Amino acid sequence: METKIASNETAEPMTINDGLKLGLPIAIGYIPSAIAFGLLAKSAGLPDHISIMMSFFVFAGASQFMAVNLLTLGVVYWEIVLATFILNSRHFLMSAALSQRVRQGTSKKWLSLVSFGVTDETFAVASLSTKKPLSPKFLLGLNFIAFFAWNVGTWVGVFLAAGLPEALKTSMGMALYAMFIGLLVPSLRKSLPVLTVALMAMVIHSVLYWVPMFSGISSGWSIIIATIIAATAGTVLFPRGVNN
């Protein structure tokens, strides 16, 4: 095991092209979900430029869907901002975790640029990479292709909204979850720690969702709580990481 780790640490750093290649499946999965967002935003009466700016500056699929729904319900702006902030708080944990694996000496400008593009899916791909340390250019390529696909999909959804049947619009909303499952399952088959932590997170989140005494906890908070508890338990149970 020590030989394997040493080999990874001295291997050639991954390039921006490596990031683009590994991010291609994510980009393909993002497009139908982004089209679905564009369709939803259009049907909700959101101006086209607002929908496009949301994808460009926010770049957070679940938060964008939730924000459009809350706008439709007439929720005040500060509550929408607070709700999306809570839902996206998990990205602090993801960025903090990735920062520990990025090559030492990386400037704050690079770290800021890379952290903007971190999503659930790109985090999963980057965190499961055996390369140590992670190259900032690799992360930039990985995040960029996902960002590009999400924005292109939004444009397509906004401007082609009227032509699709309702059943197709609804089914595209499931594509994001199907893609994430497709990324996670291969890792679960190879690693007991990853399988254990994933199962713990699922159980904790299910308890928070189904047990009546926790009914007041929002979806965003339940995700954060499940993530923190499962990740902490994984650190205690498997202190040497996923390679063991």
Side-chain angles (χ1 to χ4, degrees):
M1 183 61 68
E2 292 179 353
T3 302
K4 181 179 180 181
I5 293 175
S7 175
N8 287 333
E9 290 176 343
T10 57
E12 195 73 18
M14 300 181 80
T15 65
I16 190 169
N17 287 332
D18 294 323
L20 293 172
K21 291 177 182 176
L22 287 179
L24 185 59
I26 298 175
I28 295 173
Y30 272 8
I31 289 177
S33 298
I35 293 175
F37 168 73
L39 295 171
L40 177 66
K42 188 76 172 182
S43 63
L46 211 63
D48 295 347
H49 70 281
I50 296 295
S51 305
I52 293 169
M53 288 175 66
M54 282 182 70
S55 286
F56 190 85
F57 291 108
V58 179
F59 184 43
S63 294
Q64 291 181 221
F65 278 99
M66 183 178 68
V68 171
N69 284 328
L70 294 178
L71 285 170
T72 305
L73 295 172
V75 177
V76 296
Y77 292 127
W78 73 266
E79 290 184 357
I80 297 174
V81 172
L82 180 60
T84 54
F85 175 79
I86 292 173
L87 184 60
N88 280 331
S89 294
R90 67 189 187 282
H91 289 96
F92 289 121
L93 302 176
M94 296 179 189
S95 299
L98 285 181
S99 69
Q100 302 302 309
R101 296 192 55 192
V102 176
R103 188 172 56 211
Q104 291 186 357
T106 302
S107 69
K108 292 183 178 179
K109 291 181 180 179
W110 265 106
L111 292 175
S112 299
L113 182 62
V114 169
S115 64
F116 172 76
V118 173
T119 67
D120 296 340
E121 294 74 24
T122 59
F123 172 77
V125 171
S127 62
L128 293 174
S129 171
T130 58
K131 296 286 186 179
K132 298 178 182 179
L134 293 173
S135 163
K137 291 183 179 179
F138 161 71
L139 294 174
L140 179 63
L142 179 66
N143 294 345
F144 172 76
I145 193 169
F147 176 80
F148 179 77
W150 182 260
N151 279 271
V152 169
T154 300
W155 277 79
V156 174
V158 166
F159 291 109
L160 299 180
L164 295 178
E166 190 62 32
L168 183 57
K169 297 176 185 177
T170 304
S171 64
M172 284 191 297
M174 299 296 294
L176 188 64
Y177 304 102
M179 179 198 62
F180 190 70
I181 292 173
L183 291 171
L184 182 62
V185 168
S187 299
L188 297 180
R189 297 174 59 185
K190 298 177 182 177
S191 174
L192 177 61
V194 173
L195 175 63
T196 304
V197 171
L199 288 175
M200 283 193 294
M202 291 171 59
V203 171
I204 295 168
H205 188 267
S206 298
V207 169
L208 295 176
Y209 183 81
W210 292 106
V211 176
M213 67 179 296
F214 299 117
S215 60
I217 300 176
S218 68
S219 298
W221 274 113
S222 66
I223 292 173
I224 294 170
I225 293 171
T227 301
I228 293 175
I229 294 177
T232 303
T235 302
V236 174
L237 294 174
F238 308 102
R240 300 184 64 182
V242 298
N243 292 320
N244 297 278

